[in-house]
Structures are given as C-alpha cells and as structure tokens.
Amino acid sequence: MELRKGAHAPVPTSLLAVVVSWRSAHTVDAHALLVTESGLVRGDRDFVFFNAPRHASQAVTLDQEPAPGTARLSISLPRTEPDVARIVVSASLDDATFDQLPDLTLTVHAADGPIAQFTIDTIEDVQAMMFGEFYRRDGQWRFRAIGQGWSGGLAGLASEFGVTVDEPAGQPGAGTADRTRVPARSFQTSSADASHPNGRGASAPSRPDPTTTTEPSTIDPADAHRDRHSRTAVPGSPDPAARPHAGPPSTRPPALSRRVIDVPPPPPQDPDLADWHPDPETPDQLRWWDGDEWTASVHPHIHDHRARCPRCGNPLRRKLFGGHGQCKNCAEEIEEFLTHWRNRARRALAGPGTMSQEWIDVWAALRFQRIDEQRGRTLLREAGLTQVERMVAFAFADGEVFAEELEAFEHVVSELALSGPIVEDLRRRMHRGRTLSRLRAGELPTINTPGLHLDPDERVHLDLPAVHVRMLARGPRNTEGRLIGSSKKLRFVGDGTGIELPWNRVVSVHPEHGTVVLAATSARGGATFGVADPDYVAAALEGALRVSKRLVLTPGQRDSRSISQDVKAQVWQRDGGACVECGDGHYLEFDHIIPLSRGGATSATNLQILCRACNRAKGARI
C-alpha cells in the first residue's frame, strides 16, 4: 500500500521490519521512541538509537549492520508493553541534511512481504526527521505517515518526547564522533518494579556512565514535557530549535553524545539458566539473568535467612517456643501466585512437555518470584504421576518403546523428582520395553560359545536352557536341551535329538502362554519352546530373523499394531485416563476390544484403556 503524507493504514499485530532506504553514500541513523498517551517517554530506556540498540521489552531492535543505503528497525508489536501508546520512527544525519538524500523511502515489511510504503517528498534541510508512527486504535495497531523535519536535530527531536539529552564535552565536532554500536545506558530498578521474569516490566532511573564526561544540557526542561501536537509556530518563540522546521537555525543545539562501554558484565556460571545471581556490578544485591543477558531487575541479597524473610528481607516474628514464623505478606502472595502457576505448569506438562520452552519459562517464573522449586514439585506430584502413567501407556500401545520416549519419561521423572514404588516399576517397564525394542530392531548381543561348530561368518546371539514342546497323539512331549540362535539359523540341542531351522524357512516368531512359537514355511517345520523369559527370547529371535532377511518391518506384521499419537490421545481422553473395567489409574495399557488375531482394527473405536490385571484377564476374548 502506497501512503502519502498524513495517511494511515492498519498493520498486523506481529513482528514487523521498518526499512529506510535512500540513494547516496551518507549514513542515516534510525531510531525509535516508545511513548505513552501523554506523548512522552517513560524514561531514557524508551529511546532506541545507536547507543541503545535494543529496548528492554524486545519490542524494538535496531539493526546495527544494515545493508548499504538502508537503516532497519525490527518492531515486535506483540511484545509492546500495554502502557506504550505509540512507537515513533525517526532518523538523523551527522554530516548532511535530508534534502541531500534522493529517493528517501520508508517501507514496512511483514512476514509475507511489504505492507506499506511511504516516499518522502518536499524534504527540508534538516538533520532529524520523524517518518511516522505506529499507534493503537480500537485494540488494533495502525501506521501513520508523517514525514516531519526537525530543525533542532536529533537532540531537539529526542527532548521533545521527554528524553534527557547530555551535551557533549568538547568541540562542535563532537556530534560526528566515531560510531560505537554498543548500548550506552544501563538502568536499575528496585525489587518493587520486578513483575516479570525478564525484568522488563517498569522503567527505572538511569545510572551515570563512568566512561562519559557530560555537561548540563542547555535544553529547557519544561520543553521536554510539552506535547508536540500542542505546539504552534509563533513568531518570536523563545525555543525555535525544539519545534518543527521553520528555517535554518543560527546555532545548532547540543547533539547526543555517543558513549562507550568497554567491557560488558560477564555472564553467571550457568548462563543457560534464568535465575537470580550476584550482581556483577553491585555484589551486595542479586540481579536477574534471563538466560541471555542481565536485566534491570535487582533484589537485595539477604544473608541472614534465619531472622529475615529470604524473599522480601523483612524481619520474621519469633515463635513462643523458639524459631521464627512465616512472613505473612509473602505467604499470601506466594499462595495467590501458585494458584495460577500450577494451572499453567499442568498445561505445559500435558501439552508441549518438559523439554519445551514453555516448561522452561514456567520454572523461570517461579524462580523470579523467589519461591522454592521444591514447593512447585510438591504441587505437581499428582499431575506428574498421571503424566508418566500416560507416557508409559502410550509407549507400549504399539509394542515398541523408542529412545525418544524413554528419554522423555526420564526427563519428567527428573524434573519433578518423582520417586516411589510406582515410579520405579514404571521405569523398569520402560527400560525393559526399550531393551526388547532394540533386540527386535536387530541390535543383538554376541555370545562366545566354545565347542560349537559355526560357519566362518556365523555369530551366536542366544544360548540358554529351553524345553522343546511337541504335541503328540498321547499328549505333549517335553525335551530339555539348549536353544541356540545365531545369525544363520536356530538350533535346539537335546538328549538324543536336535533341530535346525534356517532363517529363510521361518515366517514369524511370537511369545504365547509362556512359550516361544516359531511358524515355518512347511506345516511340520514350526517349533514351540518353553523358556524362562519368553518375551526376551522372542525379541532376540525376531531381531535375528529381521537381520537375516533384511526386513524393514518386524516379522509377523507387527506394523499393524502401530497407533498414531492422535488416536492414543483420543482414546485416553475418552476413557478418562483410567481402566474402563475397574477404574484403576495405574499400570494402564491400550487393549484391542476385538483382538488383532480375530481381525480387529487399530482404531479409536476398537481401542480401550485397561489396567494390566484386567487386560490379562480379558486375554484374546472379545
């Protein structure tokens, strides 16, 4: 959309890029001011420019290395704080005036391309210009094209919106000092201003920069608090430098000094963890590190935790029989905060999970409020047990436990410090399920069997006692011996008897009623073996068969048991995460109502939640 001077257009509430472009070798400094309904900034931190290229709220960021002939600002409207009514986009020059820049254009880009373009014409010989502004209207954001020059330069424009301007010490050429793209201001807030874990919720008084020598500003402080819209061009006005351009100024007002910070404060020992750490500049207080940088939020460092509240530092009341009571004010605040925090944590636990950024932010918010993490874990214990039960049931629903599922299970247990017999039993099931899945996938151990004749490239993966079960007319006949599974074939060596089954003759392997059943290509070629651990033996033999035949899928069409995550979640939600027979919430399993062996489908309508006992009792019955 092409805009003319004074026109406005709606913009999406998203991350936008504002690009100023021109055709010349001059360098233009872009900047932005975040102002309230009063038309003034809340403090110097609301001025984003070459010495302070990023706003504390991350709403505005200045690109310090733009393409030649451009200046760029990134504006995140969703991150803009509620009390910011407008974001003014402006720019300035040190060694020229804007009338010397041909094709001066401002373009607003969204994720899918340009959405507004403003070509500035009838430009005056000024060194500062206000291109436009983003403003709120009826809950939405809009952009207004302004294109107004400022004869007072950058200092006059900034002071118009309430920014404190420091006059540079030195010659008039100080305004053209070397560019140092480093934030010049550092701010400090009291603990009463800290309301967000990023420490960016309130303005703060600025601290003096020890690397800069400044003189008192000659700008009238009263002019800094005057709304620019209320100004009128009156002949003989005592402050011509602070109003829109009315002619070439006789003397230039002081320019903004470009200050330098030599060495930024070092990060804490654990830079990935958002937490309170000793302030590198003031060790007697704590400062909030948000995981990327130091913020403005500080808190007194309470050393005597026995007599003072470790959260607010107020003295604690002594109990009649010794010791100290709780801080009443903090106790009420913590209870109110934990009520909402628990709901948020439960949503993150059941949704994105404990490896998501949302989960990290949940615990960062708890630490920011200086609440013991163990208290949060206690609140989430029941939700955590329900979640690990759900994870185990989901993992075993299709008979395979993958490495990602085991890692996610262990992460939940570790994050919430879960323990107890139920958790330990679930952990054993998950590890055993993972072991069986690796065996079925062909990750087989190699066993040394001296005295056994093997082919040159044959390896033994299984060697254990077994009973060969044969069904005769007189009844079953059991023969004890050794079951040997190798990369070439399956052998059974017994008293006066022996069996060899090459893998190319075996169709499937599965456990059944405490035995391992092998189906072969011929009617009399199969075999049944009784072993101590049928599940383990069947998984190892399936893995050997899969490697031998170079199969992609596990033998016996195990892929038909695969259940998508959406179907699992639908069945879990429908059955309330409990056994449909007895209502138990532990040791849950997904059961096919009509078994697969009888043609049942793997669908939500043919699946139900049963506990282990009810599932074993049901068996293969319908």
Side-chain angles (χ1 to χ4, degrees):
M1 178 184 295
E2 187 73 26
L3 299 180
R4 305 300 297 172
K5 189 172 183 179
H8 51 83
V11 295
T13 305
S14 61
L15 178 63
L16 305 176
V18 178
V19 179
V20 179
S21 58
W22 63 94
R23 287 193 303 107
S24 74
H26 296 94
T27 300
V28 175
D29 288 318
H31 22 77
L33 299 107
L34 287 78
V35 301
T36 62
E37 291 289 353
S38 66
L40 303 175
V41 297
R42 297 167 297 179
D44 289 351
R45 74 182 185 92
D46 285 341
F47 185 27
V48 178
F49 68 118
F50 42 77
N51 273 347
R54 178 182 297 176
H55 191 260
S57 67
Q58 309 294 317
V60 181
T61 303
L62 172 65
D63 187 352
Q64 296 179 283
E65 295 183 1
T70 65
R72 181 186 178 95
L73 287 163
S74 296
I75 298 181
S76 179
L77 296 179
R79 290 176 179 244
T80 306
E81 296 160 304
D83 49 346
V84 174
R86 295 184 291 132
I87 300 177
V88 178
V89 179
S90 55
S92 61
L93 285 161
D94 281 341
D95 54 355
T97 55
F98 277 99
D99 60 338
Q100 302 174 13
L101 304 184
D103 296 340
L104 184 62
T105 304
L106 180 143
T107 307
V108 180
H109 296 263
D112 52 353
I115 58 174
Q117 188 174 47
F118 175 36
T119 301
I120 298 95
D121 50 11
T122 63
I123 306 175
E124 300 166 312
D125 56 339
V126 293
Q127 286 190 302
M129 177 169 285
M130 183 168 61
F131 291 109
E133 63 182 8
F134 295 90
Y135 65 96
R136 301 180 192 264
R137 176 68 57 82
D138 298 329
Q140 303 295 324
W141 282 94
R142 302 178 68 86
F143 177 77
R144 178 186 291 115
I146 297 177
Q148 183 181 41
W150 225 268
S151 61
L154 176 57
L157 188 150
S159 61
E160 176 71 11
F161 291 95
V163 177
T164 303
V165 180
D166 296 328
E167 180 181 358
Q171 303 301 322
T176 59
D178 293 340
R179 302 173 186 274
T180 305
R181 304 291 182 176
V182 181
R185 296 183 177 88
S186 58
F187 301 101
Q188 176 179 350
T189 60
S190 64
S191 59
D193 294 331
S195 61
H196 190 276
N198 288 337
R200 298 164 180 161
S203 61
S206 61
R207 288 185 287 191
D209 190 339
T211 63
T212 305
T213 303
T214 60
E215 298 178 3
S217 174
T218 59
I219 298 177
D220 186 357
D223 287 341
H225 299 283
R226 219 175 297 161
D227 192 337
R228 66 182 179 85
H229 295 294
S230 64
R231 291 178 175 268
T232 57
V234 179
S237 172
D239 188 13
R243 67 175 183 267
H245 179 66
S250 57
T251 58
R252 293 198 180 277
L256 293 182
S257 58
R258 300 176 185 252
R259 295 177 283 186
V260 179
I261 295 178
D262 295 329
V263 180
Q269 293 183 352
D270 188 0
D272 295 331
L273 181 67
D275 202 352
W276 295 99
H277 298 277
D279 192 334
E281 298 178 356
T282 310
D284 289 339
Q285 68 182 8
L286 299 176
R287 191 172 179 183
W288 179 256
W289 171 266
D290 67 358
D292 295 319
E293 60 184 357
W294 293 106
T295 67
S297 299
V298 295
H299 182 262
H301 196 174
I302 310 301
H303 297 281
D304 185 9
H305 289 180
R306 294 175 299 176
R308 292 184 174 273
C309 174
R311 186 170 182 269
C312 65
N314 292 331
L316 298 176
R317 295 181 295 104
R318 294 187 63 88
K319 293 182 179 180
L320 182 61
F321 298 101
H324 295 83
Q326 292 184 344
C327 178
K328 184 177 181 181
N329 293 335
C330 286
E332 294 176 354
E333 292 178 4
I334 289 174
E335 287 299 327
E336 181 180 358
F337 174 81
L338 288 178
T339 300
H340 304 284
W341 179 88
R342 177 171 54 186
N343 296 332
R344 179 185 173 191
R346 285 176 173 174
R347 288 193 300 268
L349 181 63
T354 58
M355 296 184 181
S356 64
Q357 183 61 42
E358 183 176 345
W359 180 258
I360 295 174
D361 294 341
V362 164
W363 289 95
L366 192 72
R367 288 190 294 271
F368 184 79
Q369 294 294 329
R370 301 178 297 282
I371 300 175
D372 186 11
E373 292 187 13
Q374 185 56 40
R375 188 164 182 178
R377 293 190 181 98
T378 302
L379 287 175
L380 295 178
R381 176 172 174 79
E382 291 300 323
L385 289 175
T386 301
Q387 178 65 11
V388 294
E389 289 276 5
R390 179 177 183 267
M391 297 174 72
V392 173
F394 276 37
F396 279 91
D398 47 15
E400 298 290 335
V401 177
F402 298 99
E404 297 81 5
E405 294 172 324
L406 178 59
E407 181 183 359
F409 172 85
E410 291 290 354
H411 197 267
V412 173
V413 173
S414 175
E415 283 287 297
L416 298 179
L418 299 176
S419 60
I422 294 178
V423 175
E424 292 304 318
D425 187 67
L426 293 174
R427 175 183 278 118
R428 284 192 295 269
R429 290 184 62 196
M430 287 292 289
H431 280 273
R432 177 173 170 81
R434 178 58 190 153
T435 299
L436 298 182
S437 297
R438 293 177 61 187
L439 291 174
R440 295 190 189 100
E443 299 181 33
L444 302 169
T446 299
I447 300 175
N448 186 20
T449 55
L452 184 64
H453 176 70
L454 300 173
D455 294 340
D457 57 345
E458 187 176 8
R459 298 180 304 276
V460 176
H461 303 305
L462 195 68
D463 185 3
L464 46 77
V467 176
H468 182 208
V469 181
R470 290 182 293 174
M471 298 302 298
L472 304 177
R474 300 187 300 270
R477 180 178 177 181
N478 299 334
T479 304
E480 296 183 356
R482 292 169 58 197
L483 184 64
I484 302 170
S486 72
S487 57
K488 296 286 187 178
K489 62 187 73 172
L490 178 68
R491 299 179 177 89
F492 177 77
V493 180
D495 186 12
T497 184
I499 298 175
E500 283 193 0
L501 282 175
W503 290 124
N504 58 6
R505 289 176 50 193
V506 178
V507 176
S508 65
V509 182
H510 64 276
E512 183 178 302
H513 304 300
T515 62
V516 176
V517 180
L518 286 83
T521 54
S522 60
R524 298 178 59 85
T528 302
F529 300 98
V531 293
D533 191 347
D535 293 330
Y536 181 90
V537 174
L541 296 181
E542 286 179 8
L545 177 59
R546 179 176 182 176
V547 171
S548 175
K549 291 191 174 184
R550 295 179 174 85
L551 299 176
V552 177
L553 299 175
T554 305
Q557 297 183 342
R558 296 188 62 87
D559 58 311
S560 63
R561 291 183 56 89
S562 178
I563 307 174
S564 67
Q565 292 296 323
D566 292 339
V567 172
K568 294 177 186 177
Q570 181 180 348
V571 175
W572 185 274
Q573 182 72 19
R574 183 197 66 200
D575 295 345
C579 177
V580 297
E581 294 291 338
C582 65
D584 193 4
H586 299 302
Y587 307 115
L588 301 176
E589 299 174 349
F590 283 85
D591 171 66
H592 287 77
I593 300 174
I594 300 176
L596 287 173
S597 59
R598 299 193 180 188
T602 302
S603 62
T605 56
N606 193 46
L607 289 170
Q608 62 182 353
I609 301 293
L610 293 178
C611 67
R612 184 190 303 174
C614 292
N615 197 12
R616 298 300 181 269
K618 175 179 177 291
R621 299 192 307 274
I622 298 177

